[in-house]
Amino acid sequence: MNHLDVAKTPPMGWNSWDCYGASVREDEVRAHADYMAKNLKQYGWEYVVVDIQWSEPEASSTWYNTFYPLEMDEYSRLIPAENRFPSAKDGVGFKALGDYIHSLGLKFGIHIMRGIPRQAVHQNTAIKGTGKKAREIALNNISSWNSDMYGVNMDIPEGQLYYDSLIELYASWGVDFIKVDDIAYSILYGDAHKKEIAGIRQAIDKVGRPIVLSLSPGPAQLKNGTFFQENANMWRLTDDFWDHWDALVKMFDRTEEWAPFVRPGNWPDCDMLPLGHIGLRAHDGGGGDNWTRFTKDEQYLLMTLWTIFQSPLMYGGTLPDIDDFTLSLFTNEEVLDMYHNLVDRRQIYRDDNWIMWQAHSETDTYVAVFNVSDDPDCLPKSLVNKIKARQFRDLWAKEDSSFETALEVNSHGARLLKLKK
């Protein structure tokens, strides 16, 4: 199976990081899956992703417990901590949880760190399919922010065999989505870990299961764009994105340069949506149990950029207590119709106050207008003239209008327009 056939439209789902950090529990994952199946599946939301540290029994926040013992099988592969994921008992791993999520008509995803566990290297445990052991395939290129893993030497066959055994295990659990961290860009290494990316790609291809491969963290390097297209479905454009205006404005730089690499099966990733109720057990991004710091206008701006650029949509807040406004952002059928059907997209104008994007589906033309200034304003006539239409459909307001009336855009806000012929 060609990996470009796996994610023909941008993946949409929920990820546990923004609200639970490293500490999410099985009951919380199931509650989010239940809500998604009942309220969001019909709009295209389908992935339920367990983020980092699911093998650590005592994980409690976004802070990592350095050198803490992790749950691991006899072949140097991390497995779920049973105190947090009770259905993993008796060596079944995430199979039971994956089966439950699949029974709801959804798909199951997990986060992993690049490499082989540090404790496997120290204990020199076995590698499935070879007589070599963990210490013989490890490289000392450890992440600068998480101490759990050594790198894997992909210059020897046993390095590939390790990743083969890892992906084989995940496929047996029914995993549909794998987010691999410390691999798209390394601060210490100064680039992507390309050999390990290629090895993971090869391992996924061998099992023959349709698995979305997502690479983190950013900023992904533009020079690697073609390589990412050939090996992954998603790759992060930034470091962790949180609910701060300055981080949101910077995303215009990244989306402009990465737009040419967007195509079915390849979705440059603006990161999770830190909207709704976040930070329940998180210290990052300002920390604390809170609702998003983005104003409603900033949330419209964010969702407009993410959808016209066709970034994956991975919600980071809680679902069972989601508010009506946040839910409305995720269930606007007119916006989602645009999002799923675009064939091109690009920035067409930018100055200190205004940014404009244009995109096309097979049948329609769309324009997004962003006011990044600190004051509400009307779109200048010179910019109105760049839009080759007189009438439009406002997709967020769900109203028809005309450029004969001044187009008002709130400060830090956006308008998403479907042009009428």
Side-chain angles (χ1 to χ4, degrees), residues 215-232:
L215 308 178
S216 286
Q221 303 297 291
L222 199 63
K223 66 181 181 179
N224 294 327
T226 300
F227 174 82
F228 289 140
Q229 285 185 314
E230 293 171 347
N231 289 279

mmCIF file of all heavy atoms in Angstrom, residues 215-232:
data_model
loop_
_atom_site.group_PDB
_atom_site.id
_atom_site.type_symbol
_atom_site.label_atom_id
_atom_site.label_comp_id
_atom_site.label_asym_id
_atom_site.label_seq_id
_atom_site.Cartn_x
_atom_site.Cartn_y
_atom_site.Cartn_z
ATOM 1 N N LEU A 215 5.146 13.000 12.104
ATOM 2 C CA LEU A 215 6.480 13.277 12.628
ATOM 3 C C LEU A 215 6.495 14.570 13.430
ATOM 4 O O LEU A 215 5.962 15.591 12.999
ATOM 5 C CB LEU A 215 7.484 13.386 11.475
ATOM 6 C CG LEU A 215 7.521 12.234 10.475
ATOM 7 C CD1 LEU A 215 8.533 12.522 9.373
ATOM 8 C CD2 LEU A 215 7.846 10.906 11.168
ATOM 9 N N SER A 216 7.152 14.530 14.589
ATOM 10 C CA SER A 216 7.287 15.689 15.469
ATOM 11 C C SER A 216 8.710 15.752 16.005
ATOM 12 O O SER A 216 9.464 14.785 15.903
ATOM 13 C CB SER A 216 6.300 15.571 16.648
ATOM 14 O OG SER A 216 4.990 15.828 16.235
ATOM 15 N N PRO A 217 9.121 16.853 16.644
ATOM 16 C CA PRO A 217 8.446 18.142 16.658
ATOM 17 C C PRO A 217 8.936 18.981 15.493
ATOM 18 O O PRO A 217 9.776 18.550 14.701
ATOM 19 C CB PRO A 217 8.925 18.736 17.971
ATOM 20 C CG PRO A 217 10.347 18.267 18.074
ATOM 21 C CD PRO A 217 10.344 16.871 17.460
ATOM 22 N N GLY A 218 8.465 20.199 15.411
ATOM 23 C CA GLY A 218 9.007 21.153 14.451
ATOM 24 C C GLY A 218 10.030 22.041 15.124
ATOM 25 O O GLY A 218 10.362 21.859 16.301
ATOM 26 N N PRO A 219 10.552 23.006 14.398
ATOM 27 C CA PRO A 219 10.162 23.344 13.035
ATOM 28 C C PRO A 219 10.802 22.428 11.988
ATOM 29 O O PRO A 219 12.027 22.334 11.921
ATOM 30 C CB PRO A 219 10.665 24.775 12.859
ATOM 31 C CG PRO A 219 11.852 24.866 13.786
ATOM 32 C CD PRO A 219 11.525 23.992 14.952
ATOM 33 N N ALA A 220 9.954 21.754 11.201
ATOM 34 C CA ALA A 220 10.470 20.974 10.080
ATOM 35 C C ALA A 220 11.240 21.897 9.136
ATOM 36 O O ALA A 220 10.884 23.059 8.969
ATOM 37 C CB ALA A 220 9.315 20.295 9.344
ATOM 38 N N GLN A 221 12.294 21.368 8.555
ATOM 39 C CA GLN A 221 13.133 22.167 7.659
ATOM 40 C C GLN A 221 12.641 22.035 6.226
ATOM 41 O O GLN A 221 12.444 20.929 5.719
ATOM 42 C CB GLN A 221 14.579 21.705 7.761
ATOM 43 C CG GLN A 221 15.136 21.762 9.182
ATOM 44 C CD GLN A 221 15.183 23.177 9.729
ATOM 45 O OE1 GLN A 221 15.959 23.998 9.272
ATOM 46 N NE2 GLN A 221 14.332 23.457 10.716
ATOM 47 N N LEU A 222 12.464 23.185 5.568
ATOM 48 C CA LEU A 222 11.910 23.194 4.221
ATOM 49 C C LEU A 222 12.751 22.363 3.251
ATOM 50 O O LEU A 222 12.218 21.750 2.323
ATOM 51 C CB LEU A 222 11.796 24.638 3.725
ATOM 52 C CG LEU A 222 10.852 24.895 2.552
ATOM 53 C CD1 LEU A 222 9.420 24.572 2.928
ATOM 54 C CD2 LEU A 222 10.967 26.343 2.085
ATOM 55 N N LYS A 223 14.061 22.297 3.473
ATOM 56 C CA LYS A 223 14.935 21.515 2.597
ATOM 57 C C LYS A 223 14.568 20.034 2.590
ATOM 58 O O LYS A 223 14.929 19.306 1.666
ATOM 59 C CB LYS A 223 16.389 21.683 3.037
ATOM 60 C CG LYS A 223 16.686 21.101 4.413
ATOM 61 C CD LYS A 223 18.131 21.304 4.840
ATOM 62 C CE LYS A 223 18.400 20.686 6.201
ATOM 63 N NZ LYS A 223 19.798 20.851 6.628
ATOM 64 N N ASN A 224 13.844 19.592 3.625
ATOM 65 C CA ASN A 224 13.457 18.181 3.727
ATOM 66 C C ASN A 224 12.041 17.923 3.218
ATOM 67 O O ASN A 224 11.512 16.825 3.407
ATOM 68 C CB ASN A 224 13.553 17.722 5.187
ATOM 69 C CG ASN A 224 14.978 17.732 5.704
ATOM 70 O OD1 ASN A 224 15.918 17.484 4.949
ATOM 71 N ND2 ASN A 224 15.141 18.021 6.979
ATOM 72 N N GLY A 225 11.432 18.911 2.572
ATOM 73 C CA GLY A 225 10.040 18.782 2.180
ATOM 74 C C GLY A 225 9.758 17.562 1.326
ATOM 75 O O GLY A 225 8.806 16.804 1.593
ATOM 76 N N THR A 226 10.544 17.339 0.295
ATOM 77 C CA THR A 226 10.322 16.186 -0.580
ATOM 78 C C THR A 226 10.556 14.882 0.170
ATOM 79 O O THR A 226 9.809 13.908 0.003
ATOM 80 C CB THR A 226 11.238 16.262 -1.809
ATOM 81 O OG1 THR A 226 10.952 17.467 -2.536
ATOM 82 C CG2 THR A 226 11.029 15.065 -2.720
ATOM 83 N N PHE A 227 11.566 14.847 1.034
ATOM 84 C CA PHE A 227 11.829 13.647 1.840
ATOM 85 C C PHE A 227 10.637 13.338 2.735
ATOM 86 O O PHE A 227 10.212 12.172 2.837
ATOM 87 C CB PHE A 227 13.088 13.854 2.685
ATOM 88 C CG PHE A 227 13.358 12.732 3.649
ATOM 89 C CD1 PHE A 227 13.990 11.583 3.223
ATOM 90 C CD2 PHE A 227 12.961 12.829 4.979
ATOM 91 C CE1 PHE A 227 14.234 10.526 4.109
ATOM 92 C CE2 PHE A 227 13.196 11.787 5.868
ATOM 93 C CZ PHE A 227 13.836 10.637 5.430
ATOM 94 N N PHE A 228 10.085 14.351 3.390
ATOM 95 C CA PHE A 228 8.914 14.124 4.236
ATOM 96 C C PHE A 228 7.741 13.609 3.398
ATOM 97 O O PHE A 228 7.023 12.696 3.820
ATOM 98 C CB PHE A 228 8.519 15.403 4.967
ATOM 99 C CG PHE A 228 9.471 15.823 6.051
ATOM 100 C CD1 PHE A 228 9.783 17.166 6.233
ATOM 101 C CD2 PHE A 228 10.053 14.891 6.893
ATOM 102 C CE1 PHE A 228 10.655 17.569 7.227
ATOM 103 C CE2 PHE A 228 10.934 15.291 7.902
ATOM 104 C CZ PHE A 228 11.229 16.634 8.069
ATOM 105 N N GLN A 229 7.534 14.199 2.232
ATOM 106 C CA GLN A 229 6.451 13.735 1.371
ATOM 107 C C GLN A 229 6.602 12.255 1.024
ATOM 108 O O GLN A 229 5.618 11.521 0.959
ATOM 109 C CB GLN A 229 6.415 14.548 0.075
ATOM 110 C CG GLN A 229 5.854 15.949 0.211
ATOM 111 C CD GLN A 229 5.748 16.629 -1.140
ATOM 112 O OE1 GLN A 229 6.677 16.584 -1.943
ATOM 113 N NE2 GLN A 229 4.617 17.265 -1.399
ATOM 114 N N GLU A 230 7.816 11.824 0.812
ATOM 115 C CA GLU A 230 8.067 10.444 0.389
ATOM 116 C C GLU A 230 7.974 9.437 1.532
ATOM 117 O O GLU A 230 7.866 8.235 1.283
ATOM 118 C CB GLU A 230 9.451 10.347 -0.259
ATOM 119 C CG GLU A 230 9.557 11.104 -1.592
ATOM 120 C CD GLU A 230 10.974 11.172 -2.114
ATOM 121 O OE1 GLU A 230 11.914 10.856 -1.326
ATOM 122 O OE2 GLU A 230 11.156 11.543 -3.288
ATOM 123 N N ASN A 231 8.006 9.913 2.768
ATOM 124 C CA ASN A 231 8.090 8.985 3.896
ATOM 125 C C ASN A 231 6.996 9.128 4.950
ATOM 126 O O ASN A 231 6.801 8.201 5.740
ATOM 127 C CB ASN A 231 9.454 9.137 4.587
ATOM 128 C CG ASN A 231 10.588 8.585 3.761
ATOM 129 O OD1 ASN A 231 10.836 7.379 3.754
ATOM 130 N ND2 ASN A 231 11.271 9.457 3.023
ATOM 131 N N ALA A 232 6.301 10.244 4.999
ATOM 132 C CA ALA A 232 5.343 10.480 6.079
ATOM 133 C C ALA A 232 4.043 11.055 5.536
ATOM 134 O O ALA A 232 3.955 11.468 4.382
ATOM 135 C CB ALA A 232 5.943 11.424 7.120
#
